[in-house]
């Protein structure tokens, strides 16, 4: 019997999908969106944390729950990370963070749009810009970037995985992870 007091329970697992692109020629660019661009941010810019928090809040990104001290420690541990602001008509619209890694890999560690820009047809071209920038990043321990990779999960925007695949990223691993539960 359902007396209306039962709540839908949140999933107790999430699927994390890892995707990669091994050649810049594999990029399938989205159509150009006039007014959309990328702007490099200094690591100490207040936009780094504030825009990432706004992008990630609907998806439960961990960065949104870090204290100021935890954030500073996290940033200090990532000296090579590049912070790129996605802009639309010169206003902040999202983030694309790139991290060069040993052997010529570049990880896209964060990518997403501010909620007010979601659903407006910007994501495909924003990802195109981020992937082009990743391929242009100076590699670590290799003469050229050999691979660009990222991961997404079922907690992210429902169109994220499809957008990544449409741009030419290919899944190479998926894993099921427990989702932390919070008391009701």
């Amino acid at each position: 019997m359902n007396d209306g007091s039962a709540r839908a329970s949140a999933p107790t697992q999430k699927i994390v999908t890892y995707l990669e692109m091994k050649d810049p020629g594999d990029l399938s660019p989205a159509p150009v969106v006039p007014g959309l661009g990328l702007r490099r941010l200094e690591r100490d810019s207040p936009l780094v944390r504030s825009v990432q928090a706004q992008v990630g809040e609907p998806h439960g990104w961990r960065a949104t729950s870090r204290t100021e001290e935890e954030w500073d420690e996290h940033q200090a541990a990532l000296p090579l990370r590049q912070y790129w602001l996605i802009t639309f008509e010169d206003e902040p619209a999202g983030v694309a963070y790139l991290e060069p890694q040993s052997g010529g890999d570049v990880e896209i560690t964060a990518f997403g749009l501010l909620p007010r820009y979601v659903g407006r047809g910007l994501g495909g071209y924003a990802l195109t810009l981020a992937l082009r920038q990743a391929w242009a990043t100076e590699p670590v321990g290799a003469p050229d970037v050999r691979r660009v990779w990222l991961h997404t999960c079922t907690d992210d925007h429902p169109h994220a995985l499809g957008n990544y695949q449409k741009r030419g990223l290919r899944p190479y691993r998926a894993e099921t992870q427990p989702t932390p539960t919070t008391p009701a």
Side-chain angles (χ1 to χ4, degrees):
M1 177 175 127
N2 184 353
D3 63 2
S5 62
R7 284 194 235 166
S9 61
T12 57
Q13 296 183 334
K14 66 180 175 183
I15 299 169
V16 179
T17 304
Y18 296 82
L19 300 101
E20 66 186 357
M21 185 181 292
K22 293 186 173 184
D23 188 291
D26 292 339
L27 175 63
S28 180
V32 172
V33 175
L36 194 68
L38 273 182
R39 185 178 82 206
R40 180 95 182 249
L41 293 174
E42 294 299 322
R43 64 185 313 103
D44 61 351
S45 168
L47 289 173
V48 169
R49 185 171 186 190
S50 68
V51 176
Q52 181 178 348
Q54 292 173 64
V55 168
E57 195 276 328
H59 311 293
W61 287 6
R62 204 170 123 217
T64 62
S65 63
R66 287 190 173 116
T67 66
E68 196 69 34
E69 184 177 303
E70 290 170 331
W71 176 261
D72 291 343
E73 288 173 9
H74 178 72
Q75 294 300 87
L78 306 166
L80 299 178
R81 184 166 290 174
Q82 299 176 9
Y83 300 92
W84 293 87
L85 182 68
I86 299 167
T87 60
F88 184 65
E89 298 177 352
D90 295 321
E91 294 294 322
V95 295
Y97 298 163
L98 309 177
E99 189 165 332
Q101 299 172 336
S102 64
D105 286 3
V106 175
E107 180 185 2
I108 299 177
T109 61
F111 174 80
L113 298 174
L114 291 167
R116 69 180 173 270
Y117 291 101
V118 171
R120 295 177 52 183
L122 306 178
Y125 188 57
L127 182 58
T128 297
L129 294 174
L131 287 164
R132 286 179 176 155
Q133 186 59 53
W135 282 107
T137 298
E138 186 174 329
V140 176
D144 297 304
V145 174
R146 70 172 193 93
R147 179 176 83 126
V148 174
W149 72 279
L150 56 77
H151 71 273
T152 188
C153 74
T154 48
D155 291 341
D156 287 339
H157 190 279
H159 295 147
L161 181 59
N163 186 24
Y164 298 146
Q165 291 178 304
K166 285 178 187 173
R167 301 291 73 81
L169 289 154
R170 297 289 167 242
Y172 67 91
R173 186 173 87 217
E175 59 190 32
T176 302
Q177 298 178 353
T179 301
T181 56
T182 54

